[in-house]
Amino acid sequence: MGLKECTGFVGRKLLINDLPSRRMARNAIFIPPANGPYWGLFEPSGRSVAEAMIFAGNGSGKLHNPLGSTDCPELPSCPTLSDDYDYIYMGHIDPHYGHFLVGAVGRLWALPAYERDRLRIVFSCHLSVQELMARDYFRVIMTALGLTEKNFLQISTPVRFRRIDVASVPFEELSLVHTIYADLMHAIGRQIIPEGGQPLPARAIYMSKERLRNGNVRVDNESAFTAALRERGVGIVYPEEMGFRDQIKLWASNPTVIGFSGASLHTSIFFPERRVITLAHGPDIWANQCLIDMANNNDAQYLYDANGLEHIGAGNGFNMNYRIRNPEQLASELAEYALS
């Protein structure tokens, strides 16, 4: 039998019940990326505002690596923004859905509940707020939080804030997650699908990347695999061809969802206790999906093909391509596992 349970993971799996740290930074200077060698939110002393830092693991045994600067030896002269608004720090946005979902959006766990007119979400990005809002997932999530374009303040050159509310991110890639992260995502899910979903406990679906044009990792012969799964009663869906609300509605209905590890499976976080089967590309599973599953209390399994996937290398818009050695056999074993 080729289908086996994963034997290890890349990163660590730490679930924290306490809230992340949060404070009001005063006279802080925000230096967005591409403004010299130092970027981030800095105290008047030049030291980074600790709550504004982002950390990540890189998959090579190193965790808690700072992605911004820990200090700035010489702060630039820059204008001070008006006190007419209440500034909320979101920081640098990576618009890739997966990075956004486990990154910048998490800071909004501390979003105030009061009326939104005075709120300004401070961010930097290579896309404008209009371009971000044109992305379905971004617009739907922000609408669920009661935010519009006018609530966002894009920073492209250094500025000073007399006061800015800074909440630490509740998700550190390959490392840890705070339970408040799941609370935030569940609140968003309830706003998007207030009626909930029609439970489909006997249904199994597979999230395919075969129509995805570019990304990190892809299975080169996935079409043969999905055809074999379909013959055995597993539904096939293509997340990139679905509206974001439709994706959330699918998860709300709580079928057994199967897929190779990737951002599409992270979307389970919008409703608690989902059923997820993650296929790894080898015996070790990357910890991000494990963190999502832990925070969400998912019924989660991590499986891999013990026959070994064939490494093809980078190309066709992906950083790595694999090939399933026997897609019929793997599909047969997976369908039996998921539907039994």
Side-chain angles (χ1 to χ4, degrees), residues 135-282:
R135 298 195 172 201
D136 194 31
Y137 73 84
F138 190 93
R139 182 181 62 259
V140 170
I141 289 173
M142 295 309 155
T143 300
L145 291 170
L147 299 171
T148 65
E149 284 186 19
K150 74 175 185 179
N151 292 121
F152 288 85
L153 177 63
Q154 186 166 17
I155 304 298
S156 57
T157 58
V159 295
R160 183 188 297 272
F161 297 89
R162 289 191 178 91
R163 290 161 48 93
I164 184 168
D165 191 354
V166 187
S168 298
V169 288
F171 195 114
E172 183 178 311
E173 292 197 47
L174 297 179
S175 188
L176 60 87
V177 62
H178 293 255
T179 52
I180 192 66
Y181 174 75
D183 293 342
L184 169 66
M185 296 302 166
H186 296 163
I188 293 171
R190 289 192 298 271
Q191 286 294 319
I192 297 172
I193 311 291
E195 71 275 16
Q198 180 67 40
L200 299 169
R203 185 185 180 201
I205 63 170
Y206 173 81
M207 289 197 167
S208 174
K209 297 182 183 180
E210 64 186 280
R211 297 180 184 176
L212 192 63
R213 295 181 180 179
N214 54 68
N216 187 30
V217 183
R218 183 186 66 168
V219 173
D220 181 71
N221 60 340
E222 192 173 19
S223 59
F225 183 54
T226 55
L229 285 173
R230 190 180 291 109
E231 289 177 357
R232 290 163 173 81
V234 176
I236 310 299
V237 297
Y238 306 94
E240 69 278 3
E241 296 183 351
M242 300 174 66
F244 188 67
R245 187 181 186 279
D246 289 336
Q247 291 185 50
I248 303 299
K249 190 170 185 177
L250 183 150
W251 281 101
S253 66
N254 204 17
T256 296
V257 178
I258 312 163
F260 278 93
S261 58
S264 63
L265 296 184
H266 296 352
T267 310
S268 70
I269 194 66
F270 289 99
F271 281 87
E273 300 179 355
R274 303 298 92 178
R275 292 186 293 272
V276 187
I277 297 174
T278 301
L279 299 176
H281 298 93

Side-chain angles (χ1 to χ4, degrees), residues 4-324:
K4 302 288 186 182
E5 291 188 6
C6 290
T7 55
F9 55 90
V10 179
R12 66 176 176 177
K13 302 180 294 181
L14 181 60
L15 180 66
I16 302 174
N17 291 316
D18 293 337
L19 291 178
S21 57
R22 174 191 182 188
R23 72 184 176 94
M24 188 68 71
R26 299 180 184 275
N27 292 313
I29 291 179
F30 182 32
I31 305 176
N35 281 267
Y38 304 98
W39 66 273
L41 186 69
F42 299 97
E43 308 272 12
S45 66
R47 184 178 62 183
S48 175
V49 175
E51 290 79 3
M53 288 295 296
I54 301 175
F55 300 89
N58 60 10
S60 61
K62 296 180 180 180
L63 297 172
H64 206 61
N65 297 305
L67 300 184
S69 306
T70 56
D71 58 63
C72 182
E74 186 174 353
L75 292 172
S77 298
C78 57
T80 300
L81 294 192
S82 166
D83 284 339
D84 291 343
Y85 301 103
D86 297 329
Y87 298 107
I88 309 293
Y89 184 77
M90 196 173 193
H92 188 67
I93 293 177
D94 183 336
H96 177 276
Y97 170 67
H99 292 301
F100 174 75
L101 188 64
V102 301
V105 70
R107 292 192 192 274
L108 300 183
W109 68 265
L111 193 68
Y114 58 76
E115 196 271 333
R116 299 292 197 233
D117 279 353
R118 284 177 52 86
L119 286 181
R120 292 297 181 269
I121 311 298
V122 175
F123 78 101
S124 64
C125 185
H126 70 273
L127 299 179
S128 68
V129 65
Q130 292 79 17
E131 289 171 317
L132 287 170
M133 282 291 188
R135 298 195 172 201
D136 194 31
Y137 73 84
F138 190 93
R139 182 181 62 259
V140 170
I141 289 173
M142 295 309 155
T143 300
L145 291 170
L147 299 171
T148 65
E149 284 186 19
K150 74 175 185 179
N151 292 121
F152 288 85
L153 177 63
Q154 186 166 17
I155 304 298
S156 57
T157 58
V159 295
R160 183 188 297 272
F161 297 89
R162 289 191 178 91
R163 290 161 48 93
I164 184 168
D165 191 354
V166 187
S168 298
V169 288
F171 195 114
E172 183 178 311
E173 292 197 47
L174 297 179
S175 188
L176 60 87
V177 62
H178 293 255
T179 52
I180 192 66
Y181 174 75
D183 293 342
L184 169 66
M185 296 302 166
H186 296 163
I188 293 171
R190 289 192 298 271
Q191 286 294 319
I192 297 172
I193 311 291
E195 71 275 16
Q198 180 67 40
L200 299 169
R203 185 185 180 201
I205 63 170
Y206 173 81
M207 289 197 167
S208 174
K209 297 182 183 180
E210 64 186 280
R211 297 180 184 176
L212 192 63
R213 295 181 180 179
N214 54 68
N216 187 30
V217 183
R218 183 186 66 168
V219 173
D220 181 71
N221 60 340
E222 192 173 19
S223 59
F225 183 54
T226 55
L229 285 173
R230 190 180 291 109
E231 289 177 357
R232 290 163 173 81
V234 176
I236 310 299
V237 297
Y238 306 94
E240 69 278 3
E241 296 183 351
M242 300 174 66
F244 188 67
R245 187 181 186 279
D246 289 336
Q247 291 185 50
I248 303 299
K249 190 170 185 177
L250 183 150
W251 281 101
S253 66
N254 204 17
T256 296
V257 178
I258 312 163
F260 278 93
S261 58
S264 63
L265 296 184
H266 296 352
T267 310
S268 70
I269 194 66
F270 289 99
F271 281 87
E273 300 179 355
R274 303 298 92 178
R275 292 186 293 272
V276 187
I277 297 174
T278 301
L279 299 176
H281 298 93
D284 294 339
I285 183 75
W286 285 65
N288 278 355
Q289 185 62 44
C290 302
L291 293 170
I292 292 284
D293 293 330
M294 290 168 59
N296 213 37
N297 197 26
N298 284 343
D299 177 0
Q301 288 83 42
Y302 310 107
L303 308 174
Y304 76 105
D305 186 355
N307 295 319
L309 301 182
E310 180 184 354
H311 292 65
I312 298 176
N316 298 319
F318 289 82
N319 296 324
M320 175 59 71
N321 291 273
Y322 291 91
R323 181 177 293 273
I324 301 171

